[in-house]
């Protein structure tokens, strides 16, 4: 079945409170997707943002991002007063998220809502159903607050090493704060369920991301240190990254602790199965980030300043993927197979029968392999105009070399009358890939100012782009629908 979708994170939606939320604008975007003949909405991880405001550096693989909670919904439910929300200056630029403002104000507003909250059976059921991760996460957040944001490995030894008595004492001492963080998660998942149910009712499936790694300072590592490559003092032995390549002579040093895959295997990969099962509750399709890391991963000695001295280490490979597929047979997966790929990685993807990613933004760059050109695609793939990690197509046309641009124009038969970027979208939609995903910034023909992320950097440009109010207007849905109809992507069997 040939289908199509749009990639746009919820944070990029317009709205009055500094960041896109799971409120009216999100429901309206579902309406736009349906009208435009789309079947998928692809988003980034819904987990709390972390280091560098990245949704890929979250303090929990299970929790939801409280910034996405819609405040107008809480006002309608009587948990907030409008003046409590509107008295705060939530943004300094309409089209850019200011995470500093959110960090300083969002939880305080939610505490006001918690003060009016009357827990009932629904709340208690939520806590029971999420008892595998919620108690540790809520305690972790309460302790982070007590220790003024210090990472868990700088807490007192009793808590750092999770001494039973110390943890019990902390649960008693911080009972109220723990309850508050459980409330925040309850509200998040309640709002997300309402949005996802609405999407499903309108024939829209959600594609979500599961990052391969978790940060060192996370509830996951603190709660399960044995699953990670840590020494007796709980310091990382080696950390994750990418080797040097044409884009970075030092490689990329991500710094995440690496897994003890041997121990995970002995436990039937139960932690990963639980993680992906939770993702399956959030999303209809899961994109497995950095898929090549399951075949082999770049291991960098802890303490190194760059990723240069790393080495390839074997990952869990096909037995892990098979275990996931057997344990979660209904879970649909996409392999994020970008970057340096060996034949072993390609074999793992193909033997797993997972669709890989084909990014048109890479097709005409001499530094990337030529299998991004559409005539090399197979049906079992996902064609993207671009992703959150690379420049928009308009920026590419404005900055790429003359030869590359000329080649792209010739290959895709581009012209100014149609529009260069729209011609790229047409090329993606007309490809043989079963699924096509269009970056929202490309659909809006936006340039460098709208790029979502610059990998390997820490800037206030990352993760902050927001669309203008009314961004789906001017006949965009109708034009996109006609393109879907022309190339058979309306989901008809």
């Amino acid at each position: 079945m040939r289908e199509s979708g749009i990639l746009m994170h919820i944070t990029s939606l317009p709205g009055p409170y500094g960041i896109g939320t799971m409120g009216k604008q999100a429901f309206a975007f579902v309406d736009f997707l349906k009208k435009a003949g789309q079947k998928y909405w692809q988003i980034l991880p819904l987990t709390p943002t972390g280091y560098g405001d990245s949704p890929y550096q979250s303090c929990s693989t299970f929790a939801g991002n409280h910034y996405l909670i819609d405040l107008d919904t809480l006002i309608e439910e009587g948990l907030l007063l409008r003046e409590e929300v509107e008295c705060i200056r939530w943004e300094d630029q309409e089209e850019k998220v200011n995470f500093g403002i959110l960090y300083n104000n969002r939880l305080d507003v939610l505490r006001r809502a918690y003060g009016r909250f009357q827990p009932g059976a629904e709340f208690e059921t939520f806590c029971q159903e999420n008892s595998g991760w919620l108690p540790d996460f809520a305690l972790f957040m309460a302790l982070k607050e007590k220790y003024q944001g210090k990472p868990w490995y700088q807490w007192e030894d009793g808590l750092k090493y999770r001494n039973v008595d110390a943890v019990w004492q902390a649960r008693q001492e911080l009972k109220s704060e723990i309850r508050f963080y459980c409330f925040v998660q309850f509200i998040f998942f309640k709002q997300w369920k309402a949005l996802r149910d609405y999407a499903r009712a309108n024939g829209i499936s959600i594609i979500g991301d599961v990052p391969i790694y978790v940060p060192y300072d996370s509830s996951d590592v603190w709660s399960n240190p044995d699953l990670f490559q840590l020494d007796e003092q709980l310091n990382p032995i080696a950390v994750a990254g990418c080797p040097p390549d044409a884009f970075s002579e030092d490689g990329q040093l991500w710094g995440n602790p690496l897994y003890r895959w041997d121990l995970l295997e002995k436990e039937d990969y139960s932690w990963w199965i639980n993680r992906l099962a939770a993702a399956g509750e959030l999303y209809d399709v899961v994109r497995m980030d950095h898929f090549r890391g399951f075949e082999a991963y770049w291991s960098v000695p802890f303490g190194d300043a760059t990723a240069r001295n790393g080495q390839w280490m074997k990952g869990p490979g096909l037995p892990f993927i098979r275990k996931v597929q057997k344990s979660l047979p209904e879970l649909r997966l996409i392999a994020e197979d970008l970057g340096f790929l060996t034949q072993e990685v390609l074999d793992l993807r193909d033997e797993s029968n997972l669709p890989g990613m084909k990014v048109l933004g890479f097709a005409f760059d001499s530094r990337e392999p030529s299998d991004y050109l559409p005539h090399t695609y197979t049906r079992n793939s996902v064609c993207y105009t671009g992703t959150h990690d690379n420049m928009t197509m308009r920026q590419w046309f404005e900055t790429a070399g003359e030869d590359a641009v000329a080649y792209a124009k010739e290959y895709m038969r581009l012209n100014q009358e149609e529009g260069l970027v729209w011609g790229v979208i047409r090329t993606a939609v007309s490809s043989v890939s079963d699924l096509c995903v269009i970056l929202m910034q490309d659909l809006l023909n936006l340039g460098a100012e709208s790029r979502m992320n610059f990998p390997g950097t820490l800037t206030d440009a990352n993760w902050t782009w927001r669309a203008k109010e009314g961004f789906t207007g001017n006949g965009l849905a109708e034009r996109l629908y006609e393109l879907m109809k022309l190339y058979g992507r309306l989901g008809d069997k």
Side-chain angles (χ1 to χ4, degrees), residues 457-478:
T457 68
L458 283 175
T459 74
D460 62 1
N462 289 346
W463 316 112
T464 61
W465 174 72
R466 297 184 73 197
K468 290 183 179 179
E469 195 77 37
F471 70 105
T472 57
N474 300 319
L476 185 60
E478 291 81 0

Side-chain angles (χ1 to χ4, degrees), residues 417-433:
E417 182 180 358
E418 179 187 30
L420 298 182
V421 175
W422 192 264
V424 175
I425 294 171
R426 168 181 48 76
T427 303
V429 173
S430 66
S431 72
V432 299
S433 298

Side-chain angles (χ1 to χ4, degrees), residues 201-452:
N202 284 277
I204 305 299
S205 298
I206 305 294
I207 303 174
D209 249 8
V210 171
I212 185 172
Y213 295 121
V214 299
Y216 183 27
D217 185 25
S218 64
S219 173
D220 305 285
V221 178
W222 179 62
S223 304
N224 306 278
D226 291 345
L227 301 183
F228 299 88
Q229 295 182 26
L230 308 178
D231 62 21
E232 292 182 356
Q233 287 72 47
L234 301 185
N235 298 312
I237 298 169
V239 294
C242 275
D245 57 19
F247 297 95
S248 174
E249 62 180 17
D250 288 329
Q252 294 182 33
L253 184 63
W254 299 336
N256 305 79
L258 297 167
Y259 297 105
R260 294 188 186 273
W261 284 112
D262 56 340
L263 182 58
L264 284 161
E265 181 183 11
K266 291 178 181 177
E267 298 181 356
D268 286 331
Y269 302 109
S270 59
W271 183 84
W272 262 100
I273 299 299
N274 290 337
R275 183 186 187 192
L276 290 171
E281 293 296 317
L282 287 174
Y283 316 122
D284 299 291
V285 184
V286 170
R287 192 191 82 137
M288 297 182 76
D289 174 59
H290 196 59
F291 181 79
R292 75 103 50 245
F294 296 110
E295 191 283 319
Y297 57 89
W298 192 247
S299 174
V300 183
F302 179 62
D304 276 18
T306 74
R308 279 181 172 272
N309 296 324
Q311 60 179 323
W312 288 110
M313 304 292 290
K314 293 301 292 182
L318 191 60
F320 167 69
I321 302 297
R322 288 281 189 254
K323 179 65 178 180
V324 170
Q325 293 173 327
K326 182 179 179 180
S327 301
L328 304 169
E330 301 300 318
L331 184 63
R332 296 170 57 193
L333 301 171
I334 295 173
E336 189 270 282
D337 56 347
L338 306 178
F340 174 71
L341 303 182
T342 62
Q343 188 59 48
E344 289 82 1
V345 180
L346 299 176
D347 290 343
L348 176 62
R349 180 198 65 196
D350 294 341
E351 289 172 13
S352 305
N353 197 33
L354 299 181
M357 294 176 59
K358 304 295 185 182
V359 182
L360 272 178
F362 297 161
F364 308 96
D365 191 324
S366 61
R367 295 174 298 183
E368 287 289 333
S370 61
D371 62 359
Y372 290 113
L373 291 167
H375 70 265
T376 68
Y377 296 177
T378 61
R379 288 184 57 186
N380 190 31
S381 63
V382 186
C383 178
Y384 288 80
T385 58
T387 78
H388 62 278
D389 274 339
N390 57 277
M391 64 179 67
T392 67
M393 285 310 307
R394 177 176 168 182
Q395 183 188 8
W396 185 86
F397 281 113
E398 293 171 347
T399 60
E402 290 184 12
D403 290 345
V405 171
Y407 180 29
K409 288 181 177 179
E410 179 183 13
Y411 185 96
M412 293 185 281
R413 294 294 187 261
L414 307 180
N415 59 73
Q416 294 294 341
E417 182 180 358
E418 179 187 30
L420 298 182
V421 175
W422 192 264
V424 175
I425 294 171
R426 168 181 48 76
T427 303
V429 173
S430 66
S431 72
V432 299
S433 298
D434 284 337
L435 177 58
C436 166
V437 176
I438 305 165
L439 186 69
M440 192 70 221
Q441 291 94 316
D442 291 338
L443 201 56
L444 298 175
N445 194 24
L446 299 177
E449 76 287 347
S450 69
R451 181 167 175 169
M452 192 63 165

Side-chain angles (χ1 to χ4, degrees), residues 6-12 41-49 53-56 65 68 99 188 192 206-211 282-283 285 287 289 357 384 386-389 439 441 451-453 462-465:
I6 292 176
L7 169 55
M8 181 185 192
H9 196 33
I10 295 174
T11 60
S12 295
W41 178 4
Q42 181 165 341
I43 59 177
L44 305 185
L46 290 173
T47 47
T49 52
D53 302 315
S54 171
Y56 293 87
N65 183 358
L68 302 180
F99 283 99
F188 172 88
W192 174 248
I206 305 294
I207 303 174
D209 249 8
V210 171
L282 287 174
Y283 316 122
V285 184
R287 192 191 82 137
D289 174 59
M357 294 176 59
Y384 288 80
T387 78
H388 62 278
D389 274 339
L439 186 69
Q441 291 94 316
R451 181 167 175 169
M452 192 63 165
N453 182 47
N462 289 346
W463 316 112
T464 61
W465 174 72

Side-chain angles (χ1 to χ4, degrees), residues 15-19 88-98 101 466:
Y17 304 122
I19 193 170
I88 298 170
R89 181 181 67 87
W90 289 106
E91 58 194 11
D92 46 19
Q93 297 182 53
E94 184 182 359
E95 296 168 42
K96 190 174 182 179
V97 177
N98 186 318
I101 292 176
R466 297 184 73 197

